Amino acid sequence: MKARLIAFALTLAACAACARVGTARPHELRIADISDPSSLNPLLAHDQDTIGFDLLWVQTLVGLDARNRLVPVLVTRVPSRANGDISADGRTIVYHLRRGVRFADGKPLTSADVAFTFRAIEDPSNPVESEDAYRRVASLTTPDAHTVVLRLRAPWNAAVRELFAQSDFAFGILPAHAFGGTAMQGAPWEAHAFGTGPFRVTEWRRGDRAVLEPNPYFSPRPRLLRIELRMTPTYNGALIGVRTGELDLGRVGTEQAAAPTAGVRIVSTPINGLDSLALQTKNAPTDDAAVRRAIALALDVPVIERAAHGLYKDAAAFLPPVFPWSDAALRPIARDSAAAGAVLDRAGWRLQRGVRVKSGVPLEVLLVRQELGQGPGSEAIIQRQLADDGIRVTIKSFPSSTFNAPNGPLRSGRFNMAAQGWIGGADPEQSVVFACDQVGPNGNNLQRFCDPRFEAAFVDQAVTPDERERERDFIAMQQIVYDRLPVVPLDYLRYFDAEGPRVAGFARNMLGYPVNAESWDAK
């Protein structure tokens, strides 16, 4: 009897699941949102997933399509020197707003809204995480309702790709009339967020879901009638939701992407991201270029990559191949134990009882890692591989709250090696974390690397009017990093999305941001 009751209960549960799947109507898309946003305001967003979803209801002036090309969004054309919208001295940028664009409440977009958004970015009461780019702006003026003029403090080639653009952050244009002032936190607008994007937020249940419906003034009219962003805190939860039909779409990790699941399609998108092993250049013994070279030669990266199920491409240059300026001539450093030993021998590190020693001091390096509740993973593999060549590795774990804090091991430089990575922006400049002025607790040059040749190329790329010279600068920078090894590149990152059978037209660009949302559909 008990067995029959259990079987009956399971049948009911299965039928309930079928009923839930059946309620998914055509043109309604249910998306797993792994981040529970504290705000729907693009100026206050702090993670890539939230930033990307913000673009469903607000828009930037300049965007990035699925082929990673700059495209005009709220402007008639992308400013350039060739079309005259960037001045000869590189300090003035003119944006021509599209006419006829309306916010979701019917009010027209004007240059005043761009000026308002700029003032909100500058307002110190707003915890805007990445306003550094806007500090390069000397002035913003609005000669008329459809013209915005930026005057830069100095020439800057990356400006069009970073300011009011889809970049590492994407500050979409906010409707000035919907706010009482530039103070953003707690604004009533949050409850029904809207902009000029293809959708508007009609309901936000914090910690549960956000419901979106089409912006009636957007053209072309979106195919979807409704989007639900459902808070789903884990990749496993997203995959299970898509598999059972509770969800249609969700971002997943390598573990989920590597396991075939019936009825689920895994879509892979290369992004502007790099996993690497950071090598501290100011602390002994990794301040020795020979030690850094030996570490690179002692590592078997394909073996390390098995921890990520081999789904990422082995890296060589620090600039990922999503950029045409990635140096394709560079090749991943292959494990060569004999070469590693020869490098250490020449540098005076002699092998004694399985450990390299110099002046009585063993070759020992500190590898720091973030404690995320799982085992040592790739760090243990690195430890074993280096031990095979006489390099002793001590692994020290830190809680998430301190690992990347200003006084934590990364920012303070208290390490020799750290498994670390980054996601850059739309301009290759934003993949550079090796400039001298990026050293420090608030900078991203964790390796404390500073090279005058690198610095000269980095400075020149920002100001040269010659695009071919700028490309040569980036090639030179990649070669310097490849030779001097402040990092050992491990792999180029990708985003993985689990799609159910109803999904059509979903795509991302190299920043992981969804694109062409008006073309998405759910059958």
Side-chain angles (χ1 to χ4, degrees):
M1 181 66 177
K2 183 178 179 181
R4 287 197 296 272
L5 286 173
I6 291 173
F8 181 64
L10 290 174
T11 302
L12 284 178
C15 289
C18 292
R20 287 194 297 271
V21 173
T23 61
R25 289 172 292 186
H27 313 300
E28 293 188 357
L29 186 66
R30 301 156 303 168
I31 304 176
D33 187 354
I34 200 166
S35 63
D36 184 6
S38 59
S39 172
L40 300 184
N41 190 319
L43 274 59
L44 307 181
H46 294 161
D47 65 88
Q48 293 296 112
D49 291 290
T50 298
I51 294 167
F53 288 134
D54 284 347
L55 294 170
L56 298 177
W57 51 88
V58 295
Q59 292 181 294
T60 51
L61 300 184
V62 174
L64 206 64
D65 68 10
R67 295 174 63 185
N68 304 317
R69 300 170 302 185
L70 281 183
V71 291
V73 179
L74 292 178
V75 290
T76 59
R77 61 191 185 188
V78 177
S80 68
R81 283 186 171 90
N83 63 27
D85 291 343
I86 298 179
S87 62
D89 66 1
R91 294 184 61 187
T92 301
I93 305 173
V94 180
Y95 295 92
H96 301 283
L97 300 184
R98 288 169 44 213
R99 297 175 184 270
V101 176
R102 293 184 179 273
F103 292 102
D105 64 352
K107 302 288 186 182
L109 168 77
T110 73
S111 58
D113 297 298
V114 181
F116 169 80
T117 304
F118 178 68
R119 293 196 305 273
I121 293 169
E122 290 192 312
D123 188 334
S125 70
N126 297 323
V128 179
E129 188 165 309
S130 184
E131 81 279 11
D132 291 353
Y134 294 84
R135 293 175 183 168
R136 296 173 178 254
V137 178
S139 66
L140 183 152
T141 56
T142 54
D144 59 55
H146 294 94
T147 306
V148 177
V149 179
L150 293 186
R151 182 70 174 165
L152 303 177
R153 300 183 188 280
W156 183 33
N157 284 325
V160 171
R161 289 179 176 267
E162 292 201 34
L163 300 172
F164 301 115
Q166 290 184 26
S167 199
D168 56 343
F169 284 76
F171 295 156
I173 306 304
L174 296 169
H177 63 274
F179 295 86
T182 56
M184 298 280 104
Q185 294 192 87
W189 175 89
E190 289 264 30
H192 298 90
F194 70 94
T196 59
F199 296 92
R200 57 179 178 164
V201 178
T202 57
E203 182 183 7
W204 182 24
R205 301 182 214 163
R206 293 175 183 264
D208 180 25
R209 70 191 64 191
V211 178
L212 281 60
E213 294 180 1
N215 171 357
Y217 299 95
F218 188 89
S219 180
R221 185 170 179 81
R223 295 180 180 178
L224 289 170
L225 300 178
R226 178 184 172 98
I227 294 176
E228 284 192 13
L229 301 175
R230 297 187 182 179
M231 306 311 150
T232 309
T234 66
Y235 290 146
N236 265 335
L239 180 62
I240 291 170
V242 175
R243 187 177 63 201
T244 61
E246 283 290 306
L247 297 167
D248 299 305
L249 177 69
R251 183 182 162 204
V252 296
T254 55
E255 183 176 347
Q256 294 75 29
T261 303
V264 177
R265 180 173 62 252
I266 299 297
V267 179
S268 173
T269 305
I271 65 169
N272 179 18
L274 176 77
D275 270 336
S276 65
L277 187 65
L279 301 180
Q280 175 61 255
T281 65
K282 297 302 180 187
N283 296 339
T286 49
D287 59 340
D288 185 341
V291 171
R292 299 199 299 274
R293 174 62 56 184
I295 288 172
L297 290 167
L299 293 175
D300 192 337
V301 173
V303 172
I304 297 171
E305 280 309 291
R306 289 175 192 165
H309 303 280
L311 295 180
Y312 295 140
K313 180 182 178 182
D314 292 349
F318 73 77
L319 197 62
V322 290
F323 285 112
W325 294 349
S326 178
D327 191 348
L330 301 180
R331 292 288 180 266
I333 299 173
R335 174 171 170 79
D336 189 334
S337 185
V343 168
L344 292 174
D345 283 337
R346 289 194 296 271
W349 295 96
R350 305 302 179 189
L351 190 62
Q352 298 180 11
R353 298 179 181 179
V355 178
R356 292 282 173 172
V357 177
K358 183 177 182 180
S359 302
V361 178
L363 180 50
E364 184 170 5
V365 295
L366 173 63
L367 171 58
V368 298
R369 67 185 292 272
Q370 184 175 5
E371 181 56 69
L372 295 174
Q374 78 277 19
S378 61
E379 292 87 359
I381 300 172
I382 292 169
Q383 183 183 49
R384 291 194 298 269
Q385 289 180 354
L386 295 187
D388 289 344
D389 286 320
I391 303 171
R392 185 182 297 166
V393 177
T394 299
I395 300 175
K396 188 171 182 180
S397 300
F398 293 83
S400 300
S401 58
T402 60
F403 184 67
N404 200 32
N407 61 345
L410 288 184
R411 301 288 173 181
S412 63
R414 298 192 303 270
F415 70 93
N416 294 116
M417 300 191 299
Q420 185 65 10
W422 65 82
I423 294 176
D427 191 90
E429 181 182 287
Q430 292 179 296
S431 294
V432 174
V433 294
F434 307 105
C436 300
D437 64 2
Q438 292 175 310
V439 173
N442 296 318
N444 291 317
N445 189 345
L446 309 174
Q447 304 80 206
R448 284 167 159 68
F449 178 74
C450 190
D451 181 286
R453 296 174 301 145
F454 184 97
E455 205 69 13
F458 184 63
V459 170
D460 184 67
Q461 67 78 28
V463 299
T464 176
D466 187 338
E467 197 77 350
R468 290 170 300 179
E469 182 178 342
R470 193 171 189 234
E471 179 181 3
R472 288 192 293 269
D473 287 334
F474 276 101
I475 294 295
M477 286 186 280
Q478 291 170 83
Q479 292 173 342
I480 291 168
V481 169
Y482 186 82
D483 292 337
R484 296 210 53 199
L485 287 169
V487 296
V488 178
L490 298 178
D491 54 60
Y492 299 121
L493 298 178
R494 308 179 78 88
Y495 267 19
F496 300 99
D497 288 288
E499 287 189 359
R502 301 175 63 242
V503 179
F506 180 83
R508 296 183 186 269
N509 59 31
M510 69 175 181
L511 305 180
Y513 298 155
V515 296
N516 297 330
E518 64 275 14
S519 299
W520 303 352
D521 207 351
K523 306 297 186 182

